[in-house]
Amino acid sequence: MEWTDSGVVMGTRRHGESGVIVELMTASHGRHLGMARGGRSKRLAAVLQPGNTVQATWTARLEEQLGQYSLEGQTLRAGRLIDSAAALYAIGHINSLLRLLPERDRQEGLHAAATLILDQLHDPPFAAPLIVRFEVAMLAALGFGLDLTECAATGARQGLTYVSPRTGRAVTGEAGLPYQARLLPLPGFLAGRPGDNLGPQALADGFRLTGYFLEHHLFGPRGLPMPEQRGSFINAILRSFDAE
């Protein structure tokens, strides 16, 4: 068995005297692990930093085996992001989400979305709404998609202002007004209102919305806490607006 693919480094763990087990989010083979001999060498250690993209050739005698990786660096982002706490928090959070996926489950869209975010992390406030959308995509990939396209009560596609925490469906401002205390705010950048101000309140509302469903559908049922990196990233982003 052999294949070659592009993959984002999610993490490594030691294996033997000089090797490591490498966890990648690959373009065509999903979240995939393999052993890299000499992975703790100075050359490979720099390549195998979370957030970098590598070209990976995986070989194994049988498909179900761990197999071995031969790895070459493609896009080495980690070095230029190491001084940005917000970027490092974002990388950790993205990886915590990707680890919820079954191993070797092909998810080309999520790989592409994660790569897009990583390429924008030199500007964390710009990347923040991309991360909210990534969380929405993760919910959908794991069977808990949100319906943010039309009002659950009226079928209207304009004026969507809230989301029901019970159904995950959007509601217009008029239809939701009597129940607004029980509904989650839907920010304009998720409701197809690109002209709305993409400021700290919109981002806070977006993360509050996705956070509710992540906790209730993905992390909580698995007995996992919400990732600390997520809260740290959100706090860093909101503080950056105060500093302007």
Side-chain angles (χ1 to χ4, degrees):
M1 300 292 299
E2 180 175 328
W3 50 256
T4 298
D5 201 355
S6 176
V8 173
V9 178
M10 297 175 60
T12 64
R13 64 176 185 267
R14 297 180 64 164
H15 183 82
E17 292 186 4
S18 62
V20 292
I21 304 297
V22 183
E23 183 179 23
L24 301 178
M25 182 61 191
T26 66
S28 301
H29 297 84
R31 185 172 67 87
H32 204 291
L33 281 74
M35 184 177 70
R37 297 186 185 278
R40 297 210 301 278
S41 69
K42 186 174 181 180
R43 181 186 72 85
L44 270 183
V47 170
L48 297 178
Q49 295 298 309
N52 285 343
T53 293
V54 298
Q55 177 175 281
T57 298
W58 179 82
T59 56
R61 189 170 61 86
L62 299 173
E63 185 176 4
E64 61 269 20
Q65 291 179 322
L66 175 64
Q68 294 190 31
Y69 275 138
S70 174
L71 301 160
E72 294 292 337
Q74 282 188 325
T75 306
L76 305 184
R77 308 175 183 88
R80 64 176 181 265
L81 296 177
I82 196 168
D83 293 327
S84 170
L88 297 181
Y89 293 142
I91 291 171
H93 174 46
I94 290 167
N95 288 338
S96 71
L97 290 171
L98 292 174
R99 289 192 177 101
L100 300 176
L101 295 170
E103 287 187 40
R104 307 188 181 190
D105 181 26
R106 183 170 181 167
Q107 291 284 352
E108 291 179 316
L110 290 177
H111 171 269
T115 301
L116 174 63
I117 293 169
L118 293 169
D119 285 339
Q120 301 301 323
L121 281 180
H122 60 280
D123 185 0
F126 181 81
L130 301 179
I131 293 178
V132 176
R133 292 189 177 99
F134 184 76
E135 293 179 336
V136 172
M138 280 294 309
L139 285 161
L142 291 170
F144 301 99
L146 307 181
D147 182 355
L148 307 180
T149 61
E150 65 178 31
C151 177
T154 68
R157 293 179 174 269
Q158 302 296 322
L160 302 175
T161 307
Y162 304 108
V163 174
S164 166
R166 184 177 63 84
T167 65
R169 299 186 64 188
V171 182
T172 64
E174 183 178 0
L177 186 60
Y179 317 101
Q180 60 178 325
R182 289 178 279 170
L183 300 174
L184 297 165
L186 175 61
F189 72 93
L190 286 180
R193 301 194 302 271
D196 281 18
N197 179 35
L198 186 53
Q201 188 59 57
L203 289 175
D205 287 344
F207 279 114
R208 179 187 170 197
L209 171 64
T210 52
Y212 177 88
F213 292 102
L214 290 174
E215 183 171 10
H216 283 76
H217 294 309
L218 300 189
F219 289 100
R222 291 170 170 81
L224 300 173
M226 287 286 282
E228 290 184 8
Q229 297 99 322
R230 183 180 191 271
S232 297
F233 175 76
I234 295 170
N235 289 336
I237 292 302
L238 297 182
R239 284 198 302 269
S240 72
F241 283 96
D242 294 335
E244 292 179 355

